[in-house]
Amino acid sequence: MKNAYLLSVLETVKKRNPGEPEFIQAVTEVFETLEPVVEKRPDLVEAGVFDRIVEPERQIIFRVPWVDDQGKVQVNRGFRVQFNSAIGPYKGGIRLHPSVYSGIIKFLGFEQIFKNSLTSLPMGGAKGGSDFDPKGKSDGEVMRFCQSFMTELYRHVGADCDVPAGDIGTGAREIGYLFGQYKRLQNVFTGVLTGKGLTFGGSLARTEATGFGLCYFTEEMLKANGKCFAGKTVVISGSGNVAIYATKKATELGAKVVALSDSNGYVYDKNGIDLALVKQIKEVERKRIKEYVKTHPEAEYHEGCKGIWTIPCDIALPCATQNEIDGESAAILAKNGCFCVSEGANMPSTPEAIEVYFANNMLYGPAKAANAGGVATSGLEMSQNSQRYSWSFEEVDAKLHGIMVNIFKACDSASKEYGMPGNYMAGANIAGFLKVAEAMKAQGCV
Ligand code: NDP
């Protein structure tokens, strides 16, 4: 990055947020692609948009005490970062994972601003979470944690103010407990959370949305470059919500998904992943992915996550967590003939990995565009809740598909307009940024 003004804003961000490398990484990546915008739009510099957009509007950090099954008090830390409300109520998921601290929540909240803008729905950016680990906890423990978490959070959220959703470690069970506690505390039945169960305001196709949306975006990017999913070999990391439904849709589009993983290791099934079995292991039994080889002894299980990127494939869809593909793994993917990386997880590629993608002319679908289908469908859930009505699976899926096609078009045309054709990362950042920036400028210095 050469622009002196952006460098000075970035310096302030570094000083203000020490010890938060993921947040600095996310801001740096966005700023690097906004240099042409700074040159073309001095009015946005004048309005202080760049200085303001990197500072959250509000950050809440709170104690989450709960009692475990042995009657012992446990204490976790809860977070909600309400980053930007220029174009709509705050919106973003809740991550429950031991690695959660303010830097992770801030990077996710910052990314969410641009992602939500790209969906073209009126949603601001936010993120929340806790260092609580739902893995290995009983349903009762998870419920008591969620009730305690909401007992503070309810003061700060609301259907027209801030609408949290799921993320790593927060699935239908956790959303149900959070919703129940909010309703009890506020005595209102509103769409304060998305990803709700279908019997209490959830939207059909929300569960599938991020994984399906990732494949719709990727298919569009492939098509624009004379390629498609059909007949291709695909490697997907993770085996959670995003990975499972990305596997389903990629398979429906004619690809063969040969690998999935969790935080312990990965399975490689060259005959194609048996998704019904993975769903049984992960969604029903809540067990580890290594169970897969008990039913499919012809498949391989390997300990450790990184090795998954050494499996030869045409298309890689990282769907687990941040920084899971580094420069070395990206180079191996490229050497093995992988021509497309499209991100289901948030910021799964390190800056060095992204350099490798561009150096090898690989198609690169950045997370804030490629995985926006989840939040887009959350936006559709909010619309249905406001209408007190629900749409069919086909209706929601068709709207999701249309949104993902439009997101690709927006990235593609911004990349061309700003002189970086084919750089969908720059296109996503610029298109997502401009809408929020115009709104921030119009609303004055707030
Ligand atoms: P889940 O909790 O359902 O699944 C996460 C998967 O990733 C699990 O297989 C998990 O393994 C693995 N994983 C998590 N942390 C690590 C780690 N540190 N190292 C290796 N593997 C890890 O989460 P989701 O599928 O919902 O989310 C996955 C990614 O997609 C995240 O980056 C999330 O932010 C992003 N995303 C999710 C959306 C959604 O709608 N759910 C929307 C947009 C983005 P294990 O079980 O062993 O922990």
Side-chain angles (χ1 to χ4, degrees):
M1 187 165 34
K2 291 189 191 72
N3 186 279
Y5 167 64
L6 283 178
L7 280 170
S8 77
V9 178
L10 187 59
E11 234 7 80
T12 307
V13 172
K14 287 181 182 166
K15 275 204 195 106
R16 277 205 183 125
N17 304 278
E20 297 184 352
E22 298 84 359
F23 178 49
I24 312 283
Q25 181 184 337
V27 175
T28 307
E29 183 226 275
V30 170
F31 273 17
E32 275 172 352
T33 56
L34 292 183
E35 289 195 287
V37 179
V38 170
E39 279 150 31
K40 218 169 169 172
R41 296 293 306 272
D43 57 316
L44 298 178
V45 176
E46 184 65 26
V49 167
F50 297 88
D51 308 76
R52 287 189 280 145
I53 207 164
V54 292
E55 186 64 21
E57 290 176 13
R58 191 174 297 107
Q59 304 185 57
I60 302 136
I61 301 182
F62 51 100
R63 179 168 70 198
V64 191
W66 55 280
V67 178
D68 69 18
D69 286 348
Q70 283 69 50
K72 194 169 175 297
V73 172
Q74 301 286 343
V75 178
N76 287 100
R77 181 172 280 187
F79 299 90
R80 187 72 183 164
V81 174
Q82 298 177 331
F83 225 116
N84 194 297
S85 62
I87 61 167
Y90 306 109
K91 181 93 197 85
I94 291 177
R95 177 172 292 192
L96 300 180
H97 193 273
S99 62
V100 164
Y101 77 107
S102 56
I104 294 277
I105 300 300
K106 267 194 235 165
F107 114 67
L108 289 164
F110 183 70
E111 294 276 296
Q112 200 81 42
I113 304 170
F114 308 99
K115 180 187 310 196
N116 292 3
S117 163
L118 282 170
T119 66
S120 73
L121 301 173
M123 299 182 290
K127 201 78 186 189
S130 173
D131 55 2
F132 173 79
D133 188 357
K135 266 205 292 279
K137 304 286 191 303
S138 68
D139 286 351
E141 289 176 323
V142 171
M143 180 180 77
R144 291 192 291 280
F145 167 83
C146 288
Q147 290 178 340
S148 180
F149 187 85
M150 186 52 88
T151 299
E152 174 58 36
L153 190 69
Y154 88 98
R155 302 167 214 282
H156 312 286
V157 297
D160 293 316
C161 157
D162 183 356
V163 183
D167 190 74
I168 290 180
T170 307
R173 174 182 60 172
E174 290 75 17
I175 293 289
Y177 294 148
L178 291 164
F179 181 79
Q181 183 71 353
Y182 180 86
K183 185 166 61 64
R184 179 163 74 163
L185 291 166
Q186 292 285 47
N187 196 27
V188 288
F189 194 116
T190 53
V192 65
L193 290 150
T194 56
K196 297 185 293 298
L198 294 177
T199 53
F200 53 97
S203 173
L204 286 160
R206 173 62 187 92
T207 308
E208 293 82 356
T210 310
F212 278 23
L214 168 66
C215 292
Y216 294 148
F217 177 93
T218 307
E219 181 76 342
E220 214 50 34
M221 176 169 72
L222 291 168
K223 243 193 324 192
N225 291 278
K227 296 183 161 64
C228 64
F229 264 116
K232 304 299 183 302
T233 300
V234 179
V235 164
I236 298 182
S237 61
S239 49
N241 172 267
V242 181
I244 285 176
Y245 293 98
T247 302
K248 183 162 193 257
K249 186 52 72 179
T251 309
E252 279 172 21
L253 291 169
K256 182 160 80 168
V257 178
V258 294
L260 286 176
S261 63
D262 61 22
S263 53
N264 293 110
Y266 64 94
V267 285
Y268 172 38
D269 187 341
K270 59 180 184 326
N271 300 320
I273 288 285
D274 174 353
L275 191 59
L277 176 62
V278 173
K279 287 178 79 170
Q280 175 66 24
I281 295 169
K282 293 308 238 182
E283 294 183 340
V284 181
E285 297 168 11
R286 294 182 188 272
K287 286 191 176 156
R288 313 308 299 156
I289 197 75
K290 70 172 168 223
E291 299 289 315
Y292 186 93
V293 291
K294 286 189 182 155
T295 308
H296 286 287
E298 73 287 3
E300 298 167 18
Y301 173 73
H302 299 270
E303 281 289 322
C305 304
K306 224 181 138 178
I308 194 169
W309 308 119
T310 63
I311 300 170
C313 66
D314 301 304
I315 298 168
L317 304 177
C319 294
T321 194
Q322 63 276 352
N323 291 327
E324 53 173 311
I325 305 184
D326 59 13
E328 191 190 349
S329 295
I332 297 171
L333 281 169
K335 188 168 136 265
N336 285 340
C338 173
F339 60 79
C340 170
V341 178
S342 200
E343 300 178 331
N346 283 309
M347 206 170 74
S349 308
T350 64
E352 295 76 26
I354 296 170
E355 273 176 33
V356 172
Y357 307 152
F358 286 125
N360 288 277
N361 291 321
M362 291 159 79
L363 295 174
Y364 170 48
K368 55 176 85 62
N371 73 23
V375 74
T377 309
S378 278
L380 300 177
E381 184 172 328
M382 289 164 73
S383 305
Q384 293 170 82
N385 291 165
S386 299
Q387 288 183 320
R388 297 184 191 278
Y389 192 67
S390 58
W391 303 327
S392 68
F393 185 97
E394 290 69 26
E395 248 174 308
V396 180
D397 189 37
K399 285 184 168 54
L400 167 66
H401 190 242
I403 289 170
M404 297 315 294
V405 169
N406 285 337
I407 291 177
F408 175 74
K409 284 188 187 147
C411 298
D412 189 38
S413 57
S415 75
K416 287 174 180 150
E417 192 184 330
Y418 282 82
M420 294 172 271
N423 182 341
Y424 305 121
M425 173 176 78
N429 289 342
I430 293 169
F433 170 81
L434 281 174
K435 181 175 167 192
V436 178
E438 302 290 6
M440 287 174 74
K441 184 185 162 199
Q443 290 168 27
C445 183
V446 291

